[in-house]
């Protein structure tokens, strides 16, 4: 009976030891799974950080491109305004040139008329001088 009890105690101890070893293997397996999950999590976080850095870089580049586009657009608007102003100035200069040409043409006409009047006055003076000479000659005669 003692032998049976000893065997039973031995069997029970062996069974407990096997259960302990099984629990140890299960804990080791869970620890490995936890470590793998932690590695996967760390890898996923690293990839997320890389994606975030790439997204930030792309956003910065997009903002720079948008700023460049806005600057170019503003320069184009300014150039168009300059062109329109220069065109107006050219049209005004052309109008002034036309007006000056008209004034020059009118001045030329006035000058021609004045020259004709001067010519007529000279002719009248000469005629009057001739008349006076003739009158003087008639008086002397």
């Amino acid at each position: 009976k003692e032998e049976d009890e000893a065997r039973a105690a031995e069997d029970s101890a062996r069974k407990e030891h096997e259960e302990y070893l099984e629990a140890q293997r299960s804990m080791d397996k869970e620890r490995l799974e936890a470590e793998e999950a932690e590695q996967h999590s760390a890898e996923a976080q690293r990839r997320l950080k890389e994606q975030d850095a790439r997204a930030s870089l792309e956003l910065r580049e997009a903002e720079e491109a948008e700023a460049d586009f806005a600057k170019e657009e503003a320069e184009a608007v300014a150039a168009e305004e300059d062109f329109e102003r220069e065109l107006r100035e050219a049209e005004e200069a052309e109008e002034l040139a036309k007006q000056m040409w008209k004034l020059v043409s009118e001045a030329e006409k006035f000058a021609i008329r004045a020259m004709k009047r001067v010519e007529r006055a000279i002719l009248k003076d000469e005629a009057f001088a001739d008349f006076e000479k003739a009158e003087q000659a008639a008086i002397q005669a």
Side-chain angles (χ1 to χ4, degrees):
K1 188 171 179 184
E2 285 180 23
E3 238 178 74
D4 287 341
E5 285 177 14
R7 258 189 240 133
E10 195 178 309
D11 285 345
S12 176
R14 199 180 346 232
K15 190 174 181 183
E16 282 180 29
H17 183 66
E18 285 176 12
E19 287 174 358
Y20 168 78
L21 291 176
E22 182 63 32
Q24 191 73 32
R25 282 191 293 267
S26 177
M27 283 180 19
D28 288 345
K29 183 179 177 185
E30 287 176 10
R31 192 177 324 111
L32 281 174
E33 289 173 353
E35 287 174 0
E36 286 177 5
E38 196 175 306
Q39 288 176 350
H40 287 299
S41 174
E43 180 66 21
Q45 287 178 350
R46 185 187 62 75
R47 278 191 241 127
L48 280 173
K49 284 181 182 177
E50 287 176 358
Q51 288 176 348
D52 187 44
R54 278 194 302 270
S56 293
L57 178 64
E58 289 175 3
L59 178 62
R60 218 174 11 263
E61 289 172 350
E63 288 170 345
E64 289 172 3
E66 185 177 3
D68 288 345
F69 176 76
K71 181 181 174 185
E72 289 173 4
E73 189 175 28
E75 288 172 354
V77 167
E80 186 176 353
E81 288 171 354
D82 286 347
F83 173 76
E84 289 174 358
R85 181 181 39 77
E86 289 173 4
L87 182 61
R88 278 192 309 275
E89 289 172 357
E91 289 170 348
E92 289 170 3
E94 183 180 13
E95 185 60 33
L96 284 174
K98 286 179 183 177
Q99 290 174 6
M100 288 175 65
W101 184 252
K102 282 182 182 178
L103 291 174
V104 166
S105 180
E106 288 179 31
E108 187 179 5
K109 290 176 188 174
F110 286 129
I112 291 171
R113 280 190 234 141
M115 285 178 11
K116 288 182 179 176
R117 274 188 248 138
V118 168
E119 245 178 56
R120 284 193 299 263
I122 291 172
L123 289 176
K124 283 181 184 177
D125 274 351
E126 288 175 357
F128 185 70
D130 288 345
F131 172 75
E132 283 185 339
K133 283 182 193 175
E135 189 179 28
Q136 201 77 20
I139 293 174
Q140 289 176 355

